[in-house]
PDB file of all heavy atoms in Angstrom:
ATOM      1  N   PRO N   1       1.298  21.743 -12.474  1.00 92.00           N
ATOM      2  CA  PRO N   1       1.445  21.466 -11.130  1.00 92.00           C
ATOM      3  C   PRO N   1       0.280  20.269 -10.810  1.00 92.00           C
ATOM      4  O   PRO N   1      -0.823  20.535 -11.301  1.00 92.00           O
ATOM      5  CB  PRO N   1       1.158  22.599 -10.310  1.00 92.00           C
ATOM      6  CG  PRO N   1       0.446  23.523 -11.285  1.00 92.00           C
ATOM      7  CD  PRO N   1       0.862  23.224 -12.635  1.00 92.00           C
ATOM      8  N   ILE N   2       0.590  19.375 -10.057  1.00 91.00           N
ATOM      9  CA  ILE N   2      -0.332  18.318  -9.587  1.00 91.00           C
ATOM     10  C   ILE N   2      -0.343  18.265  -8.122  1.00 91.00           C
ATOM     11  O   ILE N   2       0.652  17.945  -7.575  1.00 91.00           O
ATOM     12  CB  ILE N   2       0.014  16.914 -10.235  1.00 91.00           C
ATOM     13  CG1 ILE N   2      -0.005  16.919 -11.714  1.00 91.00           C
ATOM     14  CG2 ILE N   2      -1.045  15.956  -9.726  1.00 91.00           C
ATOM     15  CD1 ILE N   2       0.625  15.654 -12.361  1.00 91.00           C
ATOM     16  N   LYS N   3      -1.366  18.601  -7.459  1.00 89.00           N
ATOM     17  CA  LYS N   3      -1.482  18.565  -6.046  1.00 89.00           C
ATOM     18  C   LYS N   3      -2.082  17.331  -5.651  1.00 89.00           C
ATOM     19  O   LYS N   3      -3.297  17.020  -5.906  1.00 89.00           O
ATOM     20  CB  LYS N   3      -2.259  19.725  -5.551  1.00 89.00           C
ATOM     21  CG  LYS N   3      -1.454  21.186  -5.712  1.00 89.00           C
ATOM     22  CD  LYS N   3      -2.222  22.311  -5.071  1.00 89.00           C
ATOM     23  CE  LYS N   3      -1.357  23.648  -5.209  1.00 89.00           C
ATOM     24  NZ  LYS N   3      -2.038  24.761  -4.655  1.00 89.00           N
ATOM     25  N   LEU N   4      -1.333  16.535  -4.843  1.00 87.00           N
ATOM     26  CA  LEU N   4      -1.944  15.280  -4.430  1.00 87.00           C
ATOM     27  C   LEU N   4      -2.282  15.300  -2.999  1.00 87.00           C
ATOM     28  O   LEU N   4      -1.501  15.658  -2.094  1.00 87.00           O
ATOM     29  CB  LEU N   4      -0.777  14.068  -4.487  1.00 87.00           C
ATOM     30  CG  LEU N   4      -1.238  12.714  -4.345  1.00 87.00           C
ATOM     31  CD1 LEU N   4      -2.152  12.259  -5.293  1.00 87.00           C
ATOM     32  CD2 LEU N   4      -0.035  11.868  -4.323  1.00 87.00           C
ATOM     33  N   PRO N   5      -3.621  15.086  -2.749  1.00 90.00           N
ATOM     34  CA  PRO N   5      -4.142  15.250  -1.284  1.00 90.00           C
ATOM     35  C   PRO N   5      -3.338  14.236  -0.354  1.00 90.00           C
ATOM     36  O   PRO N   5      -2.842  13.166  -0.854  1.00 90.00           O
ATOM     37  CB  PRO N   5      -5.551  14.865  -1.272  1.00 90.00           C
ATOM     38  CG  PRO N   5      -5.945  15.065  -2.812  1.00 90.00           C
ATOM     39  CD  PRO N   5      -4.715  14.743  -3.580  1.00 90.00           C
ATOM     40  N   PRO N   6      -3.162  14.474   0.875  1.00 90.00           N
ATOM     41  CA  PRO N   6      -2.582  13.451   1.841  1.00 90.00           C
ATOM     42  C   PRO N   6      -3.408  12.309   1.862  1.00 90.00           C
ATOM     43  O   PRO N   6      -4.592  12.234   1.532  1.00 90.00           O
ATOM     44  CB  PRO N   6      -2.680  14.264   3.198  1.00 90.00           C
ATOM     45  CG  PRO N   6      -3.724  15.307   3.112  1.00 90.00           C
ATOM     46  CD  PRO N   6      -3.705  15.670   1.591  1.00 90.00           C
ATOM     47  N   LEU N   7      -2.788  11.206   2.285  1.00 92.00           N
ATOM     48  CA  LEU N   7      -3.356   9.819   2.354  1.00 92.00           C
ATOM     49  C   LEU N   7      -4.605   9.802   3.063  1.00 92.00           C
ATOM     50  O   LEU N   7      -5.594   9.100   2.823  1.00 92.00           O
ATOM     51  CB  LEU N   7      -2.331   8.773   2.826  1.00 92.00           C
ATOM     52  CG  LEU N   7      -2.874   7.373   2.675  1.00 92.00           C
ATOM     53  CD1 LEU N   7      -3.120   6.957   1.267  1.00 92.00           C
ATOM     54  CD2 LEU N   7      -1.675   6.398   3.226  1.00 92.00           C
ATOM     55  N   ARG N   8      -4.764  10.488   4.316  1.00 89.00           N
ATOM     56  CA  ARG N   8      -5.907  10.480   5.205  1.00 89.00           C
ATOM     57  C   ARG N   8      -7.018  11.094   4.351  1.00 89.00           C
ATOM     58  O   ARG N   8      -8.279  10.796   4.815  1.00 89.00           O
ATOM     59  CB  ARG N   8      -5.593  11.188   6.518  1.00 89.00           C
ATOM     60  CG  ARG N   8      -5.233  12.726   6.203  1.00 89.00           C
ATOM     61  CD  ARG N   8      -5.060  13.513   7.450  1.00 89.00           C
ATOM     62  NE  ARG N   8      -4.541  14.779   7.265  1.00 89.00           N
ATOM     63  CZ  ARG N   8      -3.339  15.169   7.140  1.00 89.00           C
ATOM     64  NH1 ARG N   8      -2.388  14.198   7.088  1.00 89.00           N
ATOM     65  NH2 ARG N   8      -2.972  16.429   6.980  1.00 89.00           N
ATOM     66  N   GLU N   9      -6.901  11.737   3.330  1.00 91.00           N
ATOM     67  CA  GLU N   9      -8.066  12.247   2.523  1.00 91.00           C
ATOM     68  C   GLU N   9      -8.386  11.457   1.323  1.00 91.00           C
ATOM     69  O   GLU N   9      -9.207  11.699   0.600  1.00 91.00           O
ATOM     70  CB  GLU N   9      -7.816  13.744   2.009  1.00 91.00           C
ATOM     71  CG  GLU N   9      -7.567  14.701   3.216  1.00 91.00           C
ATOM     72  CD  GLU N   9      -7.293  16.126   2.752  1.00 91.00           C
ATOM     73  OE1 GLU N   9      -7.407  16.310   1.460  1.00 91.00           O
ATOM     74  OE2 GLU N   9      -6.971  16.905   3.534  1.00 91.00           O
ATOM     75  N   ARG N  10      -7.677  10.309   1.194  1.00 92.00           N
ATOM     76  CA  ARG N  10      -7.863   9.339   0.109  1.00 92.00           C
ATOM     77  C   ARG N  10      -8.119   7.951   0.631  1.00 92.00           C
ATOM     78  O   ARG N  10      -7.379   7.048   0.333  1.00 92.00           O
ATOM     79  CB  ARG N  10      -6.687   9.421  -0.931  1.00 92.00           C
ATOM     80  CG  ARG N  10      -6.551  10.787  -1.511  1.00 92.00           C
ATOM     81  CD  ARG N  10      -5.333  10.785  -2.572  1.00 92.00           C
ATOM     82  NE  ARG N  10      -4.160  10.693  -1.904  1.00 92.00           N
ATOM     83  CZ  ARG N  10      -3.186   9.866  -2.088  1.00 92.00           C
ATOM     84  NH1 ARG N  10      -3.410   8.794  -2.906  1.00 92.00           N
ATOM     85  NH2 ARG N  10      -1.984   9.990  -1.471  1.00 92.00           N
ATOM     86  N   GLN N  11      -9.027   7.786   1.593  1.00 91.00           N
ATOM     87  CA  GLN N  11      -9.245   6.498   2.160  1.00 91.00           C
ATOM     88  C   GLN N  11      -9.499   5.394   1.203  1.00 91.00           C
ATOM     89  O   GLN N  11      -9.089   4.259   1.402  1.00 91.00           O
ATOM     90  CB  GLN N  11     -10.313   6.576   3.240  1.00 91.00           C
ATOM     91  CG  GLN N  11      -9.956   7.451   4.510  1.00 91.00           C
ATOM     92  CD  GLN N  11     -11.153   7.292   5.451  1.00 91.00           C
ATOM     93  OE1 GLN N  11     -12.187   6.623   5.326  1.00 91.00           O
ATOM     94  NE2 GLN N  11     -10.794   7.939   6.699  1.00 91.00           N
ATOM     95  N   GLU N  12     -10.102   5.773   0.136  1.00 94.00           N
ATOM     96  CA  GLU N  12     -10.330   4.696  -0.917  1.00 94.00           C
ATOM     97  C   GLU N  12      -9.077   4.079  -1.521  1.00 94.00           C
ATOM     98  O   GLU N  12      -9.106   2.949  -2.121  1.00 94.00           O
ATOM     99  CB  GLU N  12     -11.341   5.345  -1.989  1.00 94.00           C
ATOM    100  CG  GLU N  12     -10.530   6.332  -2.946  1.00 94.00           C
ATOM    101  CD  GLU N  12     -10.637   7.603  -2.307  1.00 94.00           C
ATOM    102  OE1 GLU N  12     -11.110   7.833  -1.193  1.00 94.00           O
ATOM    103  OE2 GLU N  12     -10.159   8.596  -3.009  1.00 94.00           O
ATOM    104  N   ASP N  13      -8.031   4.736  -1.371  1.00 95.00           N
ATOM    105  CA  ASP N  13      -6.631   4.313  -1.941  1.00 95.00           C
ATOM    106  C   ASP N  13      -6.016   3.268  -0.991  1.00 95.00           C
ATOM    107  O   ASP N  13      -5.047   2.594  -1.438  1.00 95.00           O
ATOM    108  CB  ASP N  13      -5.742   5.388  -2.300  1.00 95.00           C
ATOM    109  CG  ASP N  13      -6.386   6.214  -3.417  1.00 95.00           C
ATOM    110  OD1 ASP N  13      -7.238   5.753  -4.158  1.00 95.00           O
ATOM    111  OD2 ASP N  13      -5.678   7.465  -3.708  1.00 95.00           O
ATOM    112  N   ILE N  14      -6.363   3.427   0.292  1.00 96.00           N
ATOM    113  CA  ILE N  14      -5.659   2.684   1.342  1.00 96.00           C
ATOM    114  C   ILE N  14      -5.710   1.144   1.165  1.00 96.00           C
ATOM    115  O   ILE N  14      -4.647   0.478   1.134  1.00 96.00           O
ATOM    116  CB  ILE N  14      -6.060   3.005   2.796  1.00 96.00           C
ATOM    117  CG1 ILE N  14      -5.582   4.552   3.004  1.00 96.00           C
ATOM    118  CG2 ILE N  14      -5.434   2.145   3.929  1.00 96.00           C
ATOM    119  CD1 ILE N  14      -6.113   5.019   4.269  1.00 96.00           C
ATOM    120  N   PRO N  15      -6.898   0.588   0.868  1.00 96.00           N
ATOM    121  CA  PRO N  15      -6.828  -0.887   0.750  1.00 96.00           C
ATOM    122  C   PRO N  15      -5.975  -1.474  -0.551  1.00 96.00           C
ATOM    123  O   PRO N  15      -5.218  -2.418  -0.337  1.00 96.00           O
ATOM    124  CB  PRO N  15      -8.357  -1.297   0.462  1.00 96.00           C
ATOM    125  CG  PRO N  15      -9.021  -0.166   1.065  1.00 96.00           C
ATOM    126  CD  PRO N  15      -8.165   1.066   0.953  1.00 96.00           C
ATOM    127  N   LEU N  16      -5.956  -0.510  -1.600  1.00 96.00           N
ATOM    128  CA  LEU N  16      -5.172  -0.967  -2.835  1.00 96.00           C
ATOM    129  C   LEU N  16      -3.620  -0.960  -2.431  1.00 96.00           C
ATOM    130  O   LEU N  16      -2.752  -1.727  -2.773  1.00 96.00           O
ATOM    131  CB  LEU N  16      -5.465  -0.055  -3.961  1.00 96.00           C
ATOM    132  CG  LEU N  16      -6.855  -0.338  -4.565  1.00 96.00           C
ATOM    133  CD1 LEU N  16      -7.131   0.767  -5.658  1.00 96.00           C
ATOM    134  CD2 LEU N  16      -6.977  -1.739  -5.160  1.00 96.00           C
ATOM    135  N   LEU N  17      -3.249   0.282  -1.741  1.00 97.00           N
ATOM    136  CA  LEU N  17      -1.880   0.354  -1.366  1.00 97.00           C
ATOM    137  C   LEU N  17      -1.358  -0.517  -0.447  1.00 97.00           C
ATOM    138  O   LEU N  17      -0.293  -1.199  -0.436  1.00 97.00           O
ATOM    139  CB  LEU N  17      -1.617   1.906  -0.826  1.00 97.00           C
ATOM    140  CG  LEU N  17      -1.768   2.986  -1.741  1.00 97.00           C
ATOM    141  CD1 LEU N  17      -1.862   4.307  -1.116  1.00 97.00           C
ATOM    142  CD2 LEU N  17      -0.545   2.966  -2.735  1.00 97.00           C
ATOM    143  N   ALA N  18      -2.333  -0.884   0.539  1.00 97.00           N
ATOM    144  CA  ALA N  18      -1.888  -1.898   1.648  1.00 97.00           C
ATOM    145  C   ALA N  18      -1.726  -3.241   0.940  1.00 97.00           C
ATOM    146  O   ALA N  18      -0.644  -3.989   1.320  1.00 97.00           O
ATOM    147  CB  ALA N  18      -2.962  -1.935   2.648  1.00 97.00           C
ATOM    148  N   ALA N  19      -2.541  -3.624   0.058  1.00 96.00           N
ATOM    149  CA  ALA N  19      -2.481  -4.875  -0.613  1.00 96.00           C
ATOM    150  C   ALA N  19      -1.084  -4.968  -1.491  1.00 96.00           C
ATOM    151  O   ALA N  19      -0.511  -6.066  -1.480  1.00 96.00           O
ATOM    152  CB  ALA N  19      -3.599  -5.154  -1.549  1.00 96.00           C
ATOM    153  N   HIS N  20      -0.845  -3.879  -2.028  1.00 97.00           N
ATOM    154  CA  HIS N  20       0.391  -3.763  -2.890  1.00 97.00           C
ATOM    155  C   HIS N  20       1.666  -4.010  -1.984  1.00 97.00           C
ATOM    156  O   HIS N  20       2.449  -4.848  -2.320  1.00 97.00           O
ATOM    157  CB  HIS N  20       0.461  -2.417  -3.582  1.00 97.00           C
ATOM    158  CG  HIS N  20       1.765  -2.146  -4.176  1.00 97.00           C
ATOM    159  ND1 HIS N  20       2.348  -2.734  -5.408  1.00 97.00           N
ATOM    160  CD2 HIS N  20       2.876  -1.332  -3.810  1.00 97.00           C
ATOM    161  CE1 HIS N  20       3.582  -2.396  -5.592  1.00 97.00           C
ATOM    162  NE2 HIS N  20       3.958  -1.472  -4.718  1.00 97.00           N
ATOM    163  N   PHE N  21       1.691  -3.349  -0.859  1.00 97.00           N
ATOM    164  CA  PHE N  21       2.887  -3.373   0.050  1.00 97.00           C
ATOM    165  C   PHE N  21       2.920  -4.704   0.654  1.00 97.00           C
ATOM    166  O   PHE N  21       3.974  -5.358   0.900  1.00 97.00           O
ATOM    167  CB  PHE N  21       2.761  -2.401   1.070  1.00 97.00           C
ATOM    168  CG  PHE N  21       3.031  -0.847   0.422  1.00 97.00           C
ATOM    169  CD1 PHE N  21       2.174   0.032   0.860  1.00 97.00           C
ATOM    170  CD2 PHE N  21       3.988  -0.641  -0.448  1.00 97.00           C
ATOM    171  CE1 PHE N  21       2.402   1.458   0.288  1.00 97.00           C
ATOM    172  CE2 PHE N  21       4.125   0.680  -0.984  1.00 97.00           C
ATOM    173  CZ  PHE N  21       3.360   1.654  -0.585  1.00 97.00           C
ATOM    174  N   LEU N  22       1.642  -5.289   0.963  1.00 96.00           N
ATOM    175  CA  LEU N  22       1.655  -6.763   1.601  1.00 96.00           C
ATOM    176  C   LEU N  22       2.235  -7.694   0.603  1.00 96.00           C
ATOM    177  O   LEU N  22       3.105  -8.614   0.981  1.00 96.00           O
ATOM    178  CB  LEU N  22       0.174  -7.055   1.877  1.00 96.00           C
ATOM    179  CG  LEU N  22       0.012  -8.422   2.497  1.00 96.00           C
ATOM    180  CD1 LEU N  22       0.833  -8.551   3.873  1.00 96.00           C
ATOM    181  CD2 LEU N  22      -1.410  -8.777   2.652  1.00 96.00           C
ATOM    182  N   ASP N  23       1.875  -7.569  -0.602  1.00 96.00           N
ATOM    183  CA  ASP N  23       2.428  -8.587  -1.747  1.00 96.00           C
ATOM    184  C   ASP N  23       3.952  -8.321  -1.856  1.00 96.00           C
ATOM    185  O   ASP N  23       4.716  -9.288  -1.916  1.00 96.00           O
ATOM    186  CB  ASP N  23       1.779  -8.213  -3.086  1.00 96.00           C
ATOM    187  CG  ASP N  23       2.315  -9.077  -4.223  1.00 96.00           C
ATOM    188  OD1 ASP N  23       2.071 -10.311  -4.085  1.00 96.00           O
ATOM    189  OD2 ASP N  23       2.855  -8.569  -5.052  1.00 96.00           O
ATOM    190  N   LYS N  24       4.376  -7.083  -1.829  1.00 96.00           N
ATOM    191  CA  LYS N  24       5.799  -6.793  -1.910  1.00 96.00           C
ATOM    192  C   LYS N  24       6.632  -7.401  -0.846  1.00 96.00           C
ATOM    193  O   LYS N  24       7.661  -7.991  -1.068  1.00 96.00           O
ATOM    194  CB  LYS N  24       6.008  -5.171  -1.910  1.00 96.00           C
ATOM    195  CG  LYS N  24       7.431  -4.722  -1.953  1.00 96.00           C
ATOM    196  CD  LYS N  24       7.485  -3.247  -1.939  1.00 96.00           C
ATOM    197  CE  LYS N  24       9.037  -2.719  -1.848  1.00 96.00           C
ATOM    198  NZ  LYS N  24       9.071  -1.266  -1.828  1.00 96.00           N
ATOM    199  N   TYR N  25       6.106  -7.218   0.438  1.00 95.00           N
ATOM    200  CA  TYR N  25       7.003  -7.678   1.572  1.00 95.00           C
ATOM    201  C   TYR N  25       6.762  -9.091   1.982  1.00 95.00           C
ATOM    202  O   TYR N  25       7.726  -9.716   2.456  1.00 95.00           O
ATOM    203  CB  TYR N  25       6.759  -6.805   2.639  1.00 95.00           C
ATOM    204  CG  TYR N  25       7.347  -5.381   2.425  1.00 95.00           C
ATOM    205  CD1 TYR N  25       6.585  -4.292   2.286  1.00 95.00           C
ATOM    206  CD2 TYR N  25       8.697  -5.182   2.415  1.00 95.00           C
ATOM    207  CE1 TYR N  25       7.143  -3.019   2.068  1.00 95.00           C
ATOM    208  CE2 TYR N  25       9.312  -3.996   2.212  1.00 95.00           C
ATOM    209  CZ  TYR N  25       8.446  -2.969   2.058  1.00 95.00           C
ATOM    210  OH  TYR N  25       9.057  -1.639   1.708  1.00 95.00           O
ATOM    211  N   THR N  26       5.632  -9.707   1.483  1.00 95.00           N
ATOM    212  CA  THR N  26       5.603 -11.065   1.750  1.00 95.00           C
ATOM    213  C   THR N  26       6.424 -11.940   0.844  1.00 95.00           C
ATOM    214  O   THR N  26       7.071 -12.878   1.069  1.00 95.00           O
ATOM    215  CB  THR N  26       4.071 -11.644   1.534  1.00 95.00           C
ATOM    216  OG1 THR N  26       3.571 -11.184   0.323  1.00 95.00           O
ATOM    217  CG2 THR N  26       3.197 -11.167   2.639  1.00 95.00           C
ATOM    218  N   LYS N  27       6.583 -11.353  -0.387  1.00 95.00           N
ATOM    219  CA  LYS N  27       7.545 -11.937  -1.326  1.00 95.00           C
ATOM    220  C   LYS N  27       9.025 -11.792  -0.857  1.00 95.00           C
ATOM    221  O   LYS N  27       9.814 -12.746  -0.913  1.00 95.00           O
ATOM    222  CB  LYS N  27       7.428 -11.449  -2.720  1.00 95.00           C
ATOM    223  CG  LYS N  27       6.235 -11.927  -3.423  1.00 95.00           C
ATOM    224  CD  LYS N  27       5.984 -11.127  -4.857  1.00 95.00           C
ATOM    225  CE  LYS N  27       4.690 -11.589  -5.478  1.00 95.00           C
ATOM    226  NZ  LYS N  27       4.454 -10.856  -6.762  1.00 95.00           N
ATOM    227  N   ARG N  28       9.399 -10.642  -0.401  1.00 94.00           N
ATOM    228  CA  ARG N  28      10.737 -10.312   0.003  1.00 94.00           C
ATOM    229  C   ARG N  28      11.028 -11.162   1.261  1.00 94.00           C
ATOM    230  O   ARG N  28      12.225 -11.587   1.289  1.00 94.00           O
ATOM    231  CB  ARG N  28      10.858  -8.873   0.388  1.00 94.00           C
ATOM    232  CG  ARG N  28      12.311  -8.487   0.983  1.00 94.00           C
ATOM    233  CD  ARG N  28      12.293  -7.026   1.279  1.00 94.00           C
ATOM    234  NE  ARG N  28      12.196  -6.210   0.022  1.00 94.00           N
ATOM    235  CZ  ARG N  28      12.333  -4.797   0.006  1.00 94.00           C
ATOM    236  NH1 ARG N  28      12.733  -4.301   1.100  1.00 94.00           N
ATOM    237  NH2 ARG N  28      12.243  -4.276  -1.143  1.00 94.00           N
ATOM    238  N   PHE N  29      10.154 -11.315   2.115  1.00 93.00           N
ATOM    239  CA  PHE N  29      10.448 -12.184   3.426  1.00 93.00           C
ATOM    240  C   PHE N  29       9.937 -13.511   3.389  1.00 93.00           C
ATOM    241  O   PHE N  29       9.967 -14.193   4.481  1.00 93.00           O
ATOM    242  CB  PHE N  29       9.953 -11.348   4.713  1.00 93.00           C
ATOM    243  CG  PHE N  29      10.591  -9.997   4.745  1.00 93.00           C
ATOM    244  CD1 PHE N  29       9.764  -8.856   4.582  1.00 93.00           C
ATOM    245  CD2 PHE N  29      11.823  -9.885   5.135  1.00 93.00           C
ATOM    246  CE1 PHE N  29      10.387  -7.592   4.721  1.00 93.00           C
ATOM    247  CE2 PHE N  29      12.457  -8.557   5.317  1.00 93.00           C
ATOM    248  CZ  PHE N  29      11.681  -7.387   5.110  1.00 93.00           C
ATOM    249  N   ASN N  30       9.488 -13.963   2.223  1.00 93.00           N
ATOM    250  CA  ASN N  30       9.104 -15.449   2.021  1.00 93.00           C
ATOM    251  C   ASN N  30       7.981 -15.727   3.062  1.00 93.00           C
ATOM    252  O   ASN N  30       8.036 -16.803   3.746  1.00 93.00           O
ATOM    253  CB  ASN N  30      10.283 -16.333   2.128  1.00 93.00           C
ATOM    254  CG  ASN N  30       9.966 -17.691   1.675  1.00 93.00           C
ATOM    255  OD1 ASN N  30       9.066 -17.797   0.681  1.00 93.00           O
ATOM    256  ND2 ASN N  30      10.676 -18.620   2.119  1.00 93.00           N
ATOM    257  N   LYS N  31       6.949 -14.885   3.184  1.00 92.00           N
ATOM    258  CA  LYS N  31       5.818 -15.227   4.081  1.00 92.00           C
ATOM    259  C   LYS N  31       4.650 -15.556   3.156  1.00 92.00           C
ATOM    260  O   LYS N  31       4.591 -15.374   1.967  1.00 92.00           O
ATOM    261  CB  LYS N  31       5.385 -13.958   4.882  1.00 92.00           C
ATOM    262  CG  LYS N  31       6.640 -13.475   5.834  1.00 92.00           C
ATOM    263  CD  LYS N  31       6.714 -14.538   7.056  1.00 92.00           C
ATOM    264  CE  LYS N  31       7.669 -14.050   8.026  1.00 92.00           C
ATOM    265  NZ  LYS N  31       7.006 -12.978   8.982  1.00 92.00           N
ATOM    266  N   LYS N  32       3.627 -16.193   3.878  1.00 91.00           N
ATOM    267  CA  LYS N  32       2.413 -16.735   3.111  1.00 91.00           C
ATOM    268  C   LYS N  32       1.203 -16.018   3.537  1.00 91.00           C
ATOM    269  O   LYS N  32       0.110 -16.456   3.517  1.00 91.00           O
ATOM    270  CB  LYS N  32       2.296 -18.200   3.402  1.00 91.00           C
ATOM    271  CG  LYS N  32       3.464 -19.041   2.904  1.00 91.00           C
ATOM    272  CD  LYS N  32       3.222 -20.577   3.153  1.00 91.00           C
ATOM    273  CE  LYS N  32       4.318 -21.413   2.584  1.00 91.00           C
ATOM    274  NZ  LYS N  32       4.211 -22.861   2.860  1.00 91.00           N
ATOM    275  N   ILE N  33       1.361 -14.778   4.006  1.00 93.00           N
ATOM    276  CA  ILE N  33       0.244 -14.034   4.492  1.00 93.00           C
ATOM    277  C   ILE N  33      -0.602 -13.557   3.219  1.00 93.00           C
ATOM    278  O   ILE N  33      -0.070 -12.902   2.228  1.00 93.00           O
ATOM    279  CB  ILE N  33       0.697 -12.739   5.175  1.00 93.00           C
ATOM    280  CG1 ILE N  33       1.534 -13.111   6.327  1.00 93.00           C
ATOM    281  CG2 ILE N  33      -0.515 -11.893   5.705  1.00 93.00           C
ATOM    282  CD1 ILE N  33       2.342 -11.904   6.996  1.00 93.00           C
ATOM    283  N   MET N  34      -1.967 -13.874   3.281  1.00 93.00           N
ATOM    284  CA  MET N  34      -2.838 -13.578   2.098  1.00 93.00           C
ATOM    285  C   MET N  34      -3.558 -12.243   2.136  1.00 93.00           C
ATOM    286  O   MET N  34      -3.979 -11.782   1.199  1.00 93.00           O
ATOM    287  CB  MET N  34      -3.738 -14.808   2.068  1.00 93.00           C
ATOM    288  CG  MET N  34      -3.025 -16.227   1.830  1.00 93.00           C
ATOM    289  SD  MET N  34      -1.960 -16.237   0.376  1.00 93.00           S
ATOM    290  CE  MET N  34      -3.209 -16.095  -0.909  1.00 93.00           C
ATOM    291  N   GLY N  35      -3.693 -11.768   3.352  1.00 94.00           N
ATOM    292  CA  GLY N  35      -4.433 -10.509   3.487  1.00 94.00           C
ATOM    293  C   GLY N  35      -4.632  -9.984   4.809  1.00 94.00           C
ATOM    294  O   GLY N  35      -3.768 -10.454   5.702  1.00 94.00           O
TER     295      GLY N  35
END
C-alpha cells in the first residue's frame, strides 16, 4: 500500500504540477503563456 497525502499537505509539489499543466494546456490551446 502507498498512501499519498492530499495536495494541500504537499505544497512543494504545487509549482511543479502547475507548470506541467500550464505547458500541457498552452500547447493544446496554442497559447504563449510562459508562467
Side-chain angles (χ1 to χ4, degrees):
I2 301 174
K3 293 185 178 181
L4 189 64
L7 187 58
R8 61 180 173 272
E9 296 178 10
R10 296 182 286 126
Q11 289 189 353
E12 67 278 4
D13 291 345
I14 292 175
L16 292 173
L17 288 167
H20 168 71
F21 294 134
L22 179 65
D23 180 66
K24 175 181 177 179
Y25 289 108
T26 50
K27 289 177 179 176
R28 176 176 298 183
F29 298 111
N30 195 27
K31 295 292 187 78
K32 297 181 179 179
I33 305 169
M34 302 302 294

